[in-house]
Amino acid sequence: MRLTAWATALRRIPVATTMAAQAALLALLPTGRPWVAGIIATVGIAQSVLLALSHRRVVHAADRIAALERDLSVAYRDPVTGLAVRRVAEHHLTDAAGTDLTVALIDVDGMHAINTTHTHDGGDRFLADLAARLEQASHVGDLVARLGGDEFVLVTPRDPQILARSLTGVLAPSITIDGITRPMAVSIGICRTPGGNPHRALGQADRAMYAAKRRGGGIAHYDPVRDGEPPAPGVRPAVRHRDRRPHRHRTGTF
């Protein structure tokens, strides 16, 4: 139950109690038991007084809870793309443990050049357009999130080959920023976890993504022989993949 619904339910309790007392009073008046009716009437009056005193506080609490829920909704959404943030993605992956999932990690190629050419406003437009295309490639029940910077994730129960074809289709068209047409240049790593650990699959998708980046972009499916195993959670490698990222700008299309 949402917090606002909980607060509304609490507000209805004294109303229901008052109504019950009034009904009991009406039922007992014709029975010749005035003392019982008097007690019930006294309870009803006291309940009405308490209701009047508490109503304002309950309404204020409900309004405060609604405001907090709105703040949480904003905190869980990326302001540039409107996608879920990393925290939401991590919770989603944790909840999906033991299920069959495909994880795609998407990283923009040449983001620095985009920001340099079009300023960060143009870079934000690029990221927002990419986010919209990733959502086009998603289905109901999938998760698309921005992990931070120019890195995104798509989590789905669909087959990795089907997801790859869908991503290829939505990312093929170019994007025009400030009158300049640019390819939607990204590197994507895809990994399938059949009932395994989705967090581990995210690390494997990350490895595949860097394999795609080394060959100039596009999509690479995780290969344990080529990509190796990601480190255990909480273990920071001596040299991160991002530190070894090749600094070149692709000019080809996706």
Side-chain angles (χ1 to χ4, degrees), residues 32-68:
R33 299 178 182 175
W35 62 274
V36 177
I39 292 175
I40 294 177
T42 303
V43 171
I45 293 171
Q47 183 69 46
S48 298
V49 172
L50 291 175
L51 175 61
L53 293 174
S54 64
H55 178 75
R56 188 170 183 177
R57 292 184 179 180
V58 173
V59 170
H60 176 74
D63 291 342
R64 178 58 179 158
I65 289 171
L68 289 173

Short mmCIF file of all heavy atoms in Angstrom, two decimals, residues 32-68:
data_model
loop_
_atom_site.label_atom_id
_atom_site.label_comp_id
_atom_site.label_asym_id
_atom_site.label_seq_id
_atom_site.Cartn_x
_atom_site.Cartn_y
_atom_site.Cartn_z
N GLY A 32 -35.89 0.85 24.99
CA GLY A 32 -36.14 1.13 26.40
C GLY A 32 -34.90 1.06 27.25
O GLY A 32 -35.00 0.82 28.46
N ARG A 33 -33.75 1.24 26.70
CA ARG A 33 -32.50 1.26 27.45
C ARG A 33 -31.82 2.62 27.28
O ARG A 33 -30.80 2.76 26.63
CB ARG A 33 -31.56 0.17 26.97
CG ARG A 33 -32.12 -1.24 27.13
CD ARG A 33 -31.17 -2.25 26.58
NE ARG A 33 -31.70 -3.61 26.68
CZ ARG A 33 -31.09 -4.68 26.19
NH1 ARG A 33 -29.94 -4.54 25.56
NH2 ARG A 33 -31.64 -5.88 26.30
N PRO A 34 -32.40 3.63 27.85
CA PRO A 34 -31.86 4.98 27.65
C PRO A 34 -30.44 5.15 28.18
O PRO A 34 -29.66 5.93 27.64
CB PRO A 34 -32.85 5.88 28.39
CG PRO A 34 -33.49 4.96 29.40
CD PRO A 34 -33.56 3.62 28.75
N TRP A 35 -30.10 4.43 29.27
CA TRP A 35 -28.75 4.59 29.82
C TRP A 35 -27.69 4.07 28.86
O TRP A 35 -26.61 4.65 28.73
CB TRP A 35 -28.64 3.88 31.16
CG TRP A 35 -28.86 2.38 31.10
CD1 TRP A 35 -30.05 1.73 31.15
CD2 TRP A 35 -27.85 1.39 30.94
NE1 TRP A 35 -29.88 0.39 31.05
CE2 TRP A 35 -28.52 0.14 30.92
CE3 TRP A 35 -26.47 1.41 30.84
CZ2 TRP A 35 -27.83 -1.06 30.78
CZ3 TRP A 35 -25.78 0.22 30.71
CH2 TRP A 35 -26.46 -1.01 30.68
N VAL A 36 -28.00 2.97 28.14
CA VAL A 36 -27.05 2.46 27.14
C VAL A 36 -26.94 3.44 25.99
O VAL A 36 -25.85 3.73 25.48
CB VAL A 36 -27.48 1.07 26.65
CG1 VAL A 36 -26.52 0.57 25.56
CG2 VAL A 36 -27.52 0.08 27.80
N ALA A 37 -28.11 3.95 25.58
CA ALA A 37 -28.10 4.92 24.49
C ALA A 37 -27.32 6.16 24.88
O ALA A 37 -26.60 6.76 24.06
CB ALA A 37 -29.54 5.29 24.11
N GLY A 38 -27.44 6.56 26.14
CA GLY A 38 -26.69 7.74 26.60
C GLY A 38 -25.20 7.51 26.54
O GLY A 38 -24.43 8.41 26.16
N ILE A 39 -24.78 6.33 26.97
CA ILE A 39 -23.34 6.03 26.92
C ILE A 39 -22.83 6.08 25.48
O ILE A 39 -21.79 6.67 25.18
CB ILE A 39 -23.07 4.65 27.54
CG1 ILE A 39 -23.34 4.68 29.05
CG2 ILE A 39 -21.62 4.22 27.27
CD1 ILE A 39 -23.22 3.33 29.72
N ILE A 40 -23.61 5.47 24.59
CA ILE A 40 -23.18 5.45 23.18
C ILE A 40 -23.18 6.86 22.60
O ILE A 40 -22.29 7.23 21.83
CB ILE A 40 -24.11 4.52 22.37
CG1 ILE A 40 -23.92 3.07 22.85
CG2 ILE A 40 -23.82 4.63 20.88
CD1 ILE A 40 -24.83 2.08 22.17
N ALA A 41 -24.19 7.65 22.99
CA ALA A 41 -24.22 9.03 22.51
C ALA A 41 -23.01 9.81 22.99
O ALA A 41 -22.41 10.60 22.25
CB ALA A 41 -25.51 9.71 22.98
N THR A 42 -22.64 9.59 24.28
CA THR A 42 -21.46 10.26 24.82
C THR A 42 -20.20 9.86 24.06
O THR A 42 -19.35 10.70 23.74
CB THR A 42 -21.29 9.93 26.31
OG1 THR A 42 -22.48 10.31 27.01
CG2 THR A 42 -20.10 10.64 26.90
N VAL A 43 -20.09 8.56 23.78
CA VAL A 43 -18.93 8.08 23.01
C VAL A 43 -18.91 8.71 21.63
O VAL A 43 -17.87 9.13 21.13
CB VAL A 43 -18.97 6.53 22.91
CG1 VAL A 43 -17.90 6.05 21.94
CG2 VAL A 43 -18.77 5.91 24.28
N GLY A 44 -20.09 8.80 21.02
CA GLY A 44 -20.16 9.39 19.68
C GLY A 44 -19.75 10.85 19.68
O GLY A 44 -19.05 11.31 18.79
N ILE A 45 -20.22 11.59 20.70
CA ILE A 45 -19.86 13.01 20.79
C ILE A 45 -18.35 13.17 21.00
O ILE A 45 -17.70 13.99 20.36
CB ILE A 45 -20.64 13.69 21.94
CG1 ILE A 45 -22.14 13.73 21.59
CG2 ILE A 45 -20.10 15.10 22.20
CD1 ILE A 45 -23.02 14.18 22.75
N ALA A 46 -17.81 12.35 21.92
CA ALA A 46 -16.36 12.42 22.17
C ALA A 46 -15.59 12.07 20.90
O ALA A 46 -14.57 12.72 20.57
CB ALA A 46 -16.00 11.47 23.30
N GLN A 47 -16.07 11.06 20.19
CA GLN A 47 -15.40 10.66 18.95
C GLN A 47 -15.44 11.79 17.92
O GLN A 47 -14.46 12.04 17.22
CB GLN A 47 -16.07 9.41 18.38
CG GLN A 47 -15.40 8.86 17.13
CD GLN A 47 -14.04 8.26 17.45
OE1 GLN A 47 -13.92 7.52 18.41
NE2 GLN A 47 -13.05 8.61 16.66
N SER A 48 -16.57 12.49 17.84
CA SER A 48 -16.69 13.60 16.89
C SER A 48 -15.73 14.73 17.23
O SER A 48 -15.12 15.34 16.35
CB SER A 48 -18.14 14.12 16.88
OG SER A 48 -19.03 13.11 16.45
N VAL A 49 -15.61 15.01 18.55
CA VAL A 49 -14.67 16.06 18.97
C VAL A 49 -13.24 15.67 18.61
O VAL A 49 -12.47 16.48 18.08
CB VAL A 49 -14.80 16.31 20.49
CG1 VAL A 49 -13.70 17.26 20.97
CG2 VAL A 49 -16.18 16.89 20.80
N LEU A 50 -12.87 14.41 18.93
CA LEU A 50 -11.52 13.95 18.60
C LEU A 50 -11.28 13.96 17.09
O LEU A 50 -10.17 14.29 16.63
CB LEU A 50 -11.31 12.53 19.15
CG LEU A 50 -11.23 12.41 20.66
CD1 LEU A 50 -11.16 10.93 21.07
CD2 LEU A 50 -10.03 13.17 21.21
N LEU A 51 -12.31 13.60 16.33
CA LEU A 51 -12.18 13.62 14.87
C LEU A 51 -11.92 15.02 14.37
O LEU A 51 -11.07 15.23 13.51
CB LEU A 51 -13.45 13.04 14.24
CG LEU A 51 -13.53 13.09 12.71
CD1 LEU A 51 -12.40 12.27 12.10
CD2 LEU A 51 -14.88 12.58 12.23
N ALA A 52 -12.64 15.99 14.92
CA ALA A 52 -12.45 17.38 14.49
C ALA A 52 -11.04 17.87 14.81
O ALA A 52 -10.42 18.60 14.04
CB ALA A 52 -13.49 18.27 15.16
N LEU A 53 -10.53 17.45 16.00
CA LEU A 53 -9.20 17.88 16.40
C LEU A 53 -8.10 17.22 15.57
O LEU A 53 -7.07 17.83 15.28
CB LEU A 53 -8.99 17.58 17.89
CG LEU A 53 -9.85 18.37 18.88
CD1 LEU A 53 -9.62 17.85 20.30
CD2 LEU A 53 -9.52 19.86 18.79
N SER A 54 -8.31 15.94 15.22
CA SER A 54 -7.24 15.20 14.53
C SER A 54 -7.29 15.33 13.02
O SER A 54 -6.31 15.04 12.34
CB SER A 54 -7.32 13.72 14.91
OG SER A 54 -8.54 13.15 14.45
N HIS A 55 -8.45 15.76 12.49
CA HIS A 55 -8.61 15.78 11.04
C HIS A 55 -7.54 16.65 10.37
O HIS A 55 -6.93 16.26 9.37
CB HIS A 55 -10.01 16.29 10.68
CG HIS A 55 -10.23 16.39 9.21
ND1 HIS A 55 -10.44 15.29 8.41
CD2 HIS A 55 -10.26 17.47 8.38
CE1 HIS A 55 -10.60 15.67 7.15
NE2 HIS A 55 -10.49 16.99 7.12
N ARG A 56 -7.32 17.83 10.95
CA ARG A 56 -6.37 18.75 10.34
C ARG A 56 -4.96 18.16 10.33
O ARG A 56 -4.23 18.28 9.35
CB ARG A 56 -6.37 20.07 11.10
CG ARG A 56 -5.56 21.16 10.43
CD ARG A 56 -5.79 22.50 11.10
NE ARG A 56 -5.08 23.56 10.44
CZ ARG A 56 -5.16 24.84 10.78
NH1 ARG A 56 -5.96 25.20 11.79
NH2 ARG A 56 -4.47 25.76 10.13
N ARG A 57 -4.59 17.49 11.44
CA ARG A 57 -3.26 16.88 11.51
C ARG A 57 -3.12 15.74 10.50
O ARG A 57 -2.07 15.58 9.86
CB ARG A 57 -2.98 16.37 12.91
CG ARG A 57 -2.82 17.49 13.94
CD ARG A 57 -2.45 16.91 15.30
NE ARG A 57 -2.26 17.97 16.29
CZ ARG A 57 -1.94 17.74 17.56
NH1 ARG A 57 -1.77 16.49 17.99
NH2 ARG A 57 -1.78 18.74 18.39
N VAL A 58 -4.16 14.93 10.36
CA VAL A 58 -4.11 13.82 9.42
C VAL A 58 -3.99 14.32 7.99
O VAL A 58 -3.22 13.80 7.19
CB VAL A 58 -5.36 12.91 9.59
CG1 VAL A 58 -5.40 11.86 8.50
CG2 VAL A 58 -5.34 12.25 10.96
N VAL A 59 -4.77 15.36 7.67
CA VAL A 59 -4.70 15.94 6.33
C VAL A 59 -3.30 16.48 6.06
O VAL A 59 -2.73 16.28 4.98
CB VAL A 59 -5.76 17.05 6.16
CG1 VAL A 59 -5.53 17.82 4.87
CG2 VAL A 59 -7.15 16.45 6.19
N HIS A 60 -2.73 17.17 7.06
CA HIS A 60 -1.38 17.71 6.90
C HIS A 60 -0.38 16.57 6.69
O HIS A 60 0.52 16.66 5.84
CB HIS A 60 -0.99 18.53 8.12
CG HIS A 60 0.42 19.02 8.09
ND1 HIS A 60 0.83 20.07 7.28
CD2 HIS A 60 1.55 18.61 8.75
CE1 HIS A 60 2.13 20.27 7.44
NE2 HIS A 60 2.58 19.41 8.34
N ALA A 61 -0.53 15.49 7.47
CA ALA A 61 0.39 14.35 7.33
C ALA A 61 0.25 13.71 5.95
O ALA A 61 1.25 13.35 5.31
CB ALA A 61 0.12 13.31 8.42
N ALA A 62 -1.00 13.58 5.47
CA ALA A 62 -1.22 12.99 4.14
C ALA A 62 -0.60 13.86 3.05
O ALA A 62 0.02 13.35 2.11
CB ALA A 62 -2.71 12.80 3.89
N ASP A 63 -0.73 15.17 3.18
CA ASP A 63 -0.14 16.08 2.20
C ASP A 63 1.39 15.99 2.24
O ASP A 63 2.05 16.01 1.19
CB ASP A 63 -0.57 17.53 2.49
CG ASP A 63 -2.05 17.75 2.20
OD1 ASP A 63 -2.64 16.92 1.49
OD2 ASP A 63 -2.60 18.75 2.70
N ARG A 64 1.93 15.86 3.44
CA ARG A 64 3.39 15.76 3.58
C ARG A 64 3.90 14.46 2.96
O ARG A 64 4.93 14.43 2.29
CB ARG A 64 3.77 15.82 5.06
CG ARG A 64 5.26 15.68 5.35
CD ARG A 64 6.07 16.73 4.63
NE ARG A 64 7.48 16.62 4.93
CZ ARG A 64 8.44 17.11 4.15
NH1 ARG A 64 8.13 17.76 3.03
NH2 ARG A 64 9.70 16.97 4.49
N ILE A 65 3.16 13.36 3.21
CA ILE A 65 3.54 12.07 2.64
C ILE A 65 3.49 12.12 1.12
O ILE A 65 4.38 11.62 0.43
CB ILE A 65 2.63 10.95 3.19
CG1 ILE A 65 2.94 10.71 4.67
CG2 ILE A 65 2.82 9.66 2.41
CD1 ILE A 65 1.95 9.80 5.35
N ALA A 66 2.45 12.76 0.57
CA ALA A 66 2.33 12.88 -0.89
C ALA A 66 3.51 13.68 -1.46
O ALA A 66 4.05 13.35 -2.52
CB ALA A 66 1.01 13.54 -1.25
N ALA A 67 3.91 14.74 -0.74
CA ALA A 67 5.05 15.54 -1.19
C ALA A 67 6.34 14.72 -1.17
O ALA A 67 7.16 14.81 -2.08
CB ALA A 67 5.20 16.78 -0.31
N LEU A 68 6.50 13.90 -0.12
CA LEU A 68 7.68 13.06 -0.04
C LEU A 68 7.71 12.03 -1.17
O LEU A 68 8.77 11.74 -1.75
CB LEU A 68 7.74 12.35 1.32
CG LEU A 68 8.05 13.23 2.53
CD1 LEU A 68 7.89 12.43 3.81
CD2 LEU A 68 9.47 13.79 2.43
#
